[in-house]
């Protein structure tokens, strides 16, 4: 298996090099090749991507789906979260036999707009996009719908997908997820929860803490606790915040890395703190199994990669829409000690 | 004493392609004497010192060191033969202390097993003594070189060259960037170095600086040697005349006189 | 003093020997201390520490100390290495990503070596292999910078992207995850875990004699420092006078007696007596020591104040008065948030510190001016300042409830006042040095360093051990990690290398004037390449420390940290343009940054304002460094 991956990587590299002047899209597609057989496919698409609009008709391997190419434009590819979304998308595309292009925007709305325009220019059969910045992205997506290209929003955008005219929205409402976490802390008997954030300007993370505050019966202190890139400083900040207030008996990390920092900080202080987290990593699941963490909110992001493609596919081939105009919620699901072991196996495989 | 000259230059020429940078220059350099190389800008002074310092090699002619013919293929060759050059821009690090600058690149070390460190007390003491020999009392060798005056900096460079075994000391325009007083300081150092038995080659375009300290004068003009004179054979006015190419200066004087009404060359 | 006779008659004049004397005016021990490049950072660190100690509950406790020191450790190791590189005139933008890359490479090697050799994963192989790779990265950086002659900013930016991408790419390719994990069943885990992640559990190390040892060590250190400063400040007698030694012994006996009295009584009256005995005996001991060793002052003169002195003194006292007014006027118990990050308490602390700081600075200027009049005037001004300090100590005691103010700060302020007073007395009786005395300076420096080492040792002992009384009171646990030892050790080695080896000298040279150092035979390319390798080696060390701490690493670990390293170096007094700075400064800069981050969390401030605070600290650090450097230059002229 490992040998195959190396081979695929090598092959993909050669393909990319061969397609001189290849743009980012073809490179990304080639990168998506997970198994040996697929890498050949993606290599072909790399070539066709270069030949522009007419290239789509030259696909050789698509049996059922004709010439569909879907574009997924997201605002990030870093972190344990988006790599799973990407896998979901890849799985959907290989299951359905369609071409998919993964375009991460690196938290840059301007680049996302350009990517969407680029996808339209290539004659995209459907666009799935996340909406971190609705003001910038809604007009260009409305334009896509106006051109007759179906749009699905994912991850963030629950409030704006209808305005765009998108088929549906696939994601989790952060506020509802936070509310669910608050109920869990109530049930566990916590009185004062520290809600630690790993980014300062992220609306989604703030919503999670706001949801917690909404349902939690005790006190909530919300604060920024340094970036994931510097876990040492992150742990030190949580440690200091906990030490400064003896009444803190709960910690909610709104990401997996900061949740683990919270576990270590509580351990250093020798305090018995109820820890809850967001999203999944193998370490976090291990900590849930070991009893250090009570639960983690799982928004099943695999679905956020898989379902938009499925919706676009069904719309294009059969004019179906799912959800009846309502957003499709992928979470909150919870992972606790009961199901951690089975999820852990899946997480290590990279699909949870 | 003068049977054999320390350094003898015979008919040195340097061509860059078809450009003649230096043509047929000869002079001798003796220990305990100051040989001044005079010339206006573009006279070939810098080509001359670069040949002596091993940066360039002469196209024609021979250099004899202690009577033996030598060829300097690199600055390191010249340095190991005892010819040290103090360039105009000075090899000094302004933010570093005097003693560190003095020993830079050749620090005395102590060692214990695999560990080697600078012998600071020895280094500071030697730097202080050597500076004292030059007539400068540096009480605190920790002082940064950047805080020294231009003349003092030249002095550190000269003392360093002397300490590291130079027999011939080449000074490239040491006074050109200095004021009157500071130039005086440097000229005094040149005399100190000479009195310690070094052969000094003093490159300058200022005959007023050269004449008081020099024992021998080599005058260059447009790559040509205008002659090499012992001090007793020449006056400062003649020196000035020769430097500018004699006749040319006279012509210039007349021109200036005509232009301003009261010409007063010199 | 100069042998002018050798000068040739026809040489130009200008007696520069006399000129040099004026220029090289003698610098006293205090002036010399004040122009060290790291002094700004040290003062800043003390200020930041005092500030957070005052405004937060836990910052000054062992737990808080452990917390910020731990955070400073990994940052500090990098900041020291980056300081050296910056002194050498280069930058390394790949240093942040490199820390994470080394950790990830290490973990991947552990996972992969087993599959290659079939022997099971081995840390014994992964450690040297990853270190070799770190050296290769450093060498590559240095070599590229030298070969291309491009600014290191550009070259290492490229390395940064390569490392950042390789981390993510390799992690996903080999593990299929963006975080890599290793288990503790690899060969050699127990050994290497101890090397990189051993921990000292404070609460399981009880030593009831700790405080006695701590106080004793502290006193010995303080005495040693005081005497060493005297040694470097006063003119040594040609013939020591043994009678003074007797007086010194008497004073010391009184000193010890007062300490014993303090220790055995709790009554206010007895404490007062003990304090009085302490004060008198300290002055007696110091005067005795002086009589034994130092030249009495020739002419003490009479009290002569001029406008320059009184103006500064009065301004200083007024400023201290305002601080006192703040202390009483602002309700210390009120912890309401006043406006943005400050609570009422925080604001009060800030106001008091600013006014007291400014007040004493002004007063010290007055004392400095008085020195140029005569010793008696200086002594009188210093005594007034000491009295003000003592008065302020009582104000602190009266206006606050917390024990740390009422006892700890109170005693520290009183002791400072006492030291200042004793110093003032000594200044009127003994001759201050105006000339260099190398042997006395050497002795004094050694004593000073030993004294500081004892103080540090005393503080370390206090934090490492716990007493039964503390355990009963329910002290928070604190785990000291071996990371701190790595940090201290690495800093010490680098400070030594920079100050005492040829490589260290060459580092300053290539950063200060590369062409010049080349001309005198310094191997500039080699020196710079070695500097890049030191940074990469430090990144490897940090990578190991992170890997063993977390047993897993994110692909993004360390990205963007490079600027924190550079900021720490700059805060520590390293010049951005190269050629000037210290390794110790980098370590202190890192400590300041870690203290700020932890302190803000500890003081429960709104962390939205955290970067404002960091920005202000950075600005203050750079401005004060600039001022100190200018002062250093002018003091030397």
């Amino acid at each position: 298996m490992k040998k195959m991956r190396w081979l695929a990587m090598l092959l993909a590299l050669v393909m990319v090099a061969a397609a001189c002047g290849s743009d980012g899209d073809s490179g990304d597609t080639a990168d998506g090749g997970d198994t040996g057989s697929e890498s050949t496919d993606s290599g072909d698409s790399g070539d066709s991507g270069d030949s522009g609009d007419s290239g789509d008709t030259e696909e050789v391997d698509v049996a059922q789906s004709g010439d569909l190419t879907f574009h997924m434009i997201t605002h990030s590819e870093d972190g344990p979260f988006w790599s799973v979304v990407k896998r979901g998308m890849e799985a959907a595309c290989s299951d359905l036999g369609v071409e998919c292009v993964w375009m991460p925007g690196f938290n840059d709305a301007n680049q996302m707009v350009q990517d969407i325009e680029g996808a339209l220019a290539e004659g995209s059969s459907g666009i799935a996009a996340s909406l971190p910045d609705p003001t910038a992205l809604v007009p260009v997506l409305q334009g896509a719908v106006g051109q007759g290209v179906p749009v699905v929003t994912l991850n963030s955008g629950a409030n704006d997908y209808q305005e765009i005219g998108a088929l549906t929205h696939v994601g989790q409402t952060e506020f509802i997820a936070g509310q669910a976490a608050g109920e869990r802390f109530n049930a566990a008997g916590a009185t004062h929860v520290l809600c630690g954030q790993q980014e300062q300007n992220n609306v989604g993370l703030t919503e999670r803490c706001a949801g917690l505050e909404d349902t939690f019966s005790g006190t909530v202190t919300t604060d920024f606790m340094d970036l994931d890139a510097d876990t040492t400083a992150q742990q030190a900040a949580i440690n200091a915040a906990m030490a400064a207030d003896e009444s803190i008996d709960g910690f909610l990390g709104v990401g997996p890395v900061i949740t683990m920092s919270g576990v270590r900080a509580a351990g250093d202080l020798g305090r018995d703190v109820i820890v809850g987290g967001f999203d999944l990593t193998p370490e976090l699941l291990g900590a849930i199994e070991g009893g250090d963490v009570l639960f983690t909110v799982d928004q099943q992001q695999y679905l956020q990669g898989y379902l938009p493609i499925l919706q676009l596919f069904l719309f294009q081939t059969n004019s179906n829409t799912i959800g009846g105009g309502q957003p499709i919620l992928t979470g909150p699901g919870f992972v606790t000690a009961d199901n951690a072991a089975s999820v852990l196996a899946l997480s290590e495989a990279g699909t949870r | 004493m003068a049977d054999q000259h320390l350094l003898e230059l015979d008919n040195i020429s340097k061509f860059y392609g078809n450009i003649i940078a230096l043509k047929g220059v000869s002079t001798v350099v003796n220990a305990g004497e100051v040989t001044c190389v005079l010339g206006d800008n573009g006279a070939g002074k810098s080509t001359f010192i670069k040949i002596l310092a091993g940066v360039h090699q002469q196209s024609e002619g021979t250099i004899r060191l202690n009577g033996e013919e030598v060829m300097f293929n690199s600055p390191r060759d010249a340095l190991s033969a005892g010819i040290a050059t103090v360039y105009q821009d000075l090899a000094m690090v302004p933010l570093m202390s005097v003693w560190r600058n003095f020993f830079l690149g050749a620090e005395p070390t102590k060692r214990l097993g695999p560990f080697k460190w600078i012998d600071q007390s020895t280094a500071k003491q030697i730097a202080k003594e050597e500076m004292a020999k030059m007539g400068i009392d540096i009480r605190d060798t920790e002082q940064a070189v950047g805080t020294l005056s231009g003349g003092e900096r030249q002095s550190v460079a000269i003392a360093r060259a002397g300490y590291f075994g130079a027999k011939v000391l080449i000074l490239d325009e040491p006074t050109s960037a200095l004021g009157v007083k500071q130039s005086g300081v440097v000229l005094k150092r040149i005399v100190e170095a000479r009195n310690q038995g070094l052969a000094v080659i003093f490159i300058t375009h200022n005959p007023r600086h050269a004449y008081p300290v020099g024992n021998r004068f080599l005058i260059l003009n447009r790559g040509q040697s205008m002659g090499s004179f012992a001090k007793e054979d020449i006056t400062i006015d003649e020196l000035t005349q020769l430097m500018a190419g004699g006749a040319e200066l006279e012509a210039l004087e007349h021109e200036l006189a005509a232009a301003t009404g009261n010409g007063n060359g010199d | 003093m100069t042998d002018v006779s050798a000068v040739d008659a026809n040489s130009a004049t200008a007696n520069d020997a006399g000129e040099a004397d004026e220029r090289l005016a003698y610098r006293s021990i205090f002036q010399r201390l004040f122009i060290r490049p790291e002094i700004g950072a040290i003062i800043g660190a003390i200020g930041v520490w005092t500030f957070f100690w005052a405004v937060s509950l836990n910052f000054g406790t062992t737990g808080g100390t452990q917390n910020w020191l731990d955070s400073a450790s990994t940052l500090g190791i990098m900041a020291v290495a980056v300081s050296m590189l910056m002194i050498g005139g280069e930058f390394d933008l790949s240093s942040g990503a490199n820390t994470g890359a080394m950790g990830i490479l290490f973990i991947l090697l552990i996972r992969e070596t087993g599959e290659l050799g079939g022997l099971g994963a081995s840390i014994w192989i992964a450690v040297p292999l990853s270190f070799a790779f770190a050296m290769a990265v450093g060498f590559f950086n240095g070599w590229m910078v030298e070969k291309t002659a491009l600014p290191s900013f550009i070259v290492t930016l490229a390395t940064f992207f390569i490392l950042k991408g390789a981390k993510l790419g390799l992690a996903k390719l080999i593990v299929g995850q963006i975080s890599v994990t290793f288990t503790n069943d690899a060969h050699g885990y127990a050994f290497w875990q101890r090397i990189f992640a051993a921990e000292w559990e404070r609460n399981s190390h009880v030593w009831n004699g700790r405080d006695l040892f701590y106080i004793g060590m502290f006193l010995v250190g303080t005495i040693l420092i005081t005497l060493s400063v005297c040694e470097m400040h006063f003119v040594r007698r040609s013939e020591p006078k043994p009678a003074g030694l007797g007086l010194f012994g008497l004073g010391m006996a009184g000193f010890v007696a007062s300490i014993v009295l303090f220790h055995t009584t709790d009554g206010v009256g007895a404490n007062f007596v003990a304090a009085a005995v302490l004060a008198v005996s300290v002055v007696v001991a110091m005067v005795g020591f002086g009589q034994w060793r130092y030249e009495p002052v020739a002419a003490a003169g009479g009290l002569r104040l001029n406008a320059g002195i009184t103006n500064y003194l009065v301004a200083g006292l007024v400023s201290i008065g305002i601080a006192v007014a703040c202390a009483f006027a602002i309700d210390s118990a009120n912890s309401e948030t006043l406006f943005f990050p400050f609570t009422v308490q925080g604001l009060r602390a800030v106001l008091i510190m600013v006014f007291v700081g400014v007040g004493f600075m002004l007063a010290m200027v007055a004392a400095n001016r008085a020195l140029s009049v005569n010793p008696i005037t200086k002594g009188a001004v210093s005594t007034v300042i000491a009295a003000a300090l003592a008065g302020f100590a009582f104000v602190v005691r009266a206006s606050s409830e917390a024990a740390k103010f009422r006892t700890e700060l109170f005693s520290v302020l009183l002791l400072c006042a006492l030291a200042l007073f004793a110093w003032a007395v000594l200044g009127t009786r003994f001759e201050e040095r105006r000339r260099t005395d190398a042997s006395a300076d050497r002795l004094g420096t050694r004593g000073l360093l030993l004294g500081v080492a004892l103080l540090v040792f005393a503080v370390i002992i206090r934090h490492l051990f716990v007493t039964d009384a503390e355990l009963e009171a329910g002290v928070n646990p604190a785990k000291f990690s071996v990371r701190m030892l790595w940090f201290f050790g690495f800093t010490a080695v680098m400070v030594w290398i920079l100050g005492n080896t040829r490589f260290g000298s060459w580092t300053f040279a290539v950063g200060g004037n590369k062409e010049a150092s080349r001309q005198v035979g310094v191997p500039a390319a080699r020196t710079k390449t070695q500097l890049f390798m030191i940074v990469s080696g430090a990144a490897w060390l940090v990578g190991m420390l992170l890997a063993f701490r977390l047993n897993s690493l994110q692909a993004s670990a360390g990205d963007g940290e490079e600027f924190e390293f550079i900021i720490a170096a700059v805060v520590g007094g390293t010049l951005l343009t190269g050629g000037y700075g210290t390794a110790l400064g980098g370590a202190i800069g890192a400590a300041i940054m870690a203290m700020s981050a932890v302190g803000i969390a500890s003081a429960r401030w709104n962390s939205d304002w955290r970067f404002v605070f960091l920005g202000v600290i950075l600005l203050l650090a750079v401005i004060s460094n600039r001022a100190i450097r200018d002062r250093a230059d002018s003091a030397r002229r």
Side-chain angles (χ1 to χ4, degrees), chain C residues 51-64:
Chain C
F51 180 73
F52 284 116
W53 174 82
V55 299
S56 82
L57 272 175
N58 290 285
F59 188 75
T61 64
T62 299

Side-chain angles (χ1 to χ4, degrees), chain B residues 20-219:
Chain B
I20 304 166
L22 210 59
K23 180 84 181 123
V25 176
S26 306
T27 192
V28 291
V29 177
N30 292 323
E33 276 189 22
V34 177
T35 305
C36 297
V37 179
L38 288 130
D40 206 350
N41 296 335
K45 298 194 301 284
S46 60
T47 308
F48 181 75
I49 53 164
K50 277 178 182 159
I51 290 170
L52 277 179
V55 179
H56 296 323
Q57 285 72 47
Q58 71 269 30
S59 312
E60 284 176 1
T62 51
I63 301 173
R64 275 186 295 275
L65 184 68
N66 291 323
E68 270 175 55
E69 198 172 318
V70 287
M71 184 81 178
F72 301 134
N73 289 314
S74 71
R76 202 143 276 284
D77 274 6
L79 208 59
S80 54
I83 299 177
T85 312
V86 176
Y87 288 100
Q88 207 172 341
D89 53 0
L90 292 171
M92 290 277 166
V93 186
L95 282 172
M96 283 176 81
S97 65
V98 169
W99 74 266
R100 277 185 196 268
N101 263 295
F102 193 93
F103 282 99
L104 191 57
E107 293 85 353
T109 53
K110 279 184 185 168
R111 73 182 309 154
L112 182 75
F115 300 106
K116 218 165 85 173
W117 65 93
I118 299 178
D119 184 355
Q120 288 203 15
S121 51
T122 308
K124 283 177 193 167
Q125 198 187 339
I126 292 174
K128 197 173 162 159
E129 282 168 10
E130 291 298 315
M131 293 301 288
K133 276 189 205 163
M134 298 300 303
I136 292 190
D137 181 19
I138 296 272
R139 282 181 167 170
D140 185 3
T141 48
E142 284 287 358
Q143 184 178 18
V145 155
T147 64
L148 295 177
S149 67
E152 286 168 334
R153 265 185 257 190
Q154 288 281 354
S155 310
V156 176
I158 295 170
R160 175 169 69 188
Y163 175 74
F164 287 107
K167 284 176 274 183
V168 180
L169 180 62
I170 304 174
L171 300 171
D172 180 19
E173 299 271 9
T175 57
S176 65
L178 302 179
V180 178
K181 204 172 172 190
Q182 291 296 329
S183 298
V185 174
V186 172
L187 293 177
K188 224 166 70 174
R189 298 300 151 248
I190 292 173
V191 172
E192 293 279 350
R194 183 193 72 189
N195 291 350
Q196 284 174 31
L198 262 70
V200 180
I201 301 178
F202 174 24
I203 288 102
T204 180
H205 61 258
N206 190 337
R208 293 186 175 283
H209 287 165
Y211 196 76
V213 296
N215 299 81
R216 180 172 291 279
F217 303 93
L218 169 68
I219 297 129

Side-chain angles (χ1 to χ4, degrees), chain C residues 564-587:
Chain C
E564 301 228 347
F565 308 152
I566 293 173
I567 293 166
V570 171
V571 169
T574 300
L575 209 57
L576 270 171
T577 47
Y580 188 79
T582 60
L584 185 61

Side-chain angles (χ1 to χ4, degrees), chain A residues 2 5 79-80 87 200 221 223-224 226 229-232 235-237 239-240 243-244 257 264 269 283 347-348, chain C residues 58 67 112 115 173-174 176-179 181 477 546 549-550 552 554 556 558 561 598 601-602 604 607 610-611:
Chain A
K2 189 153 287 160
R5 252 187 262 150
R87 282 218 183 74
Q200 268 188 310
T221 308
D223 221 335
F224 165 64
D226 226 305
D230 191 352
T231 43
T232 310
Q235 182 185 332
N239 185 325
V257 176
R264 282 191 300 273
L269 284 172
E283 304 92 75
S347 174
E348 269 165 359
Chain C
N58 290 285
N67 199 11
E112 298 302 297
E115 291 182 27
L173 188 69
I174 295 178
Q177 295 274 342
I178 64 106
S179 75
T181 315
L546 286 177
R549 171 184 208 168
L550 307 170
S552 82
Q554 299 286 317
S556 67
E561 290 283 286
V598 169
S602 212
R604 301 304 306 127
S607 59
R610 175 180 151 192
F611 288 101

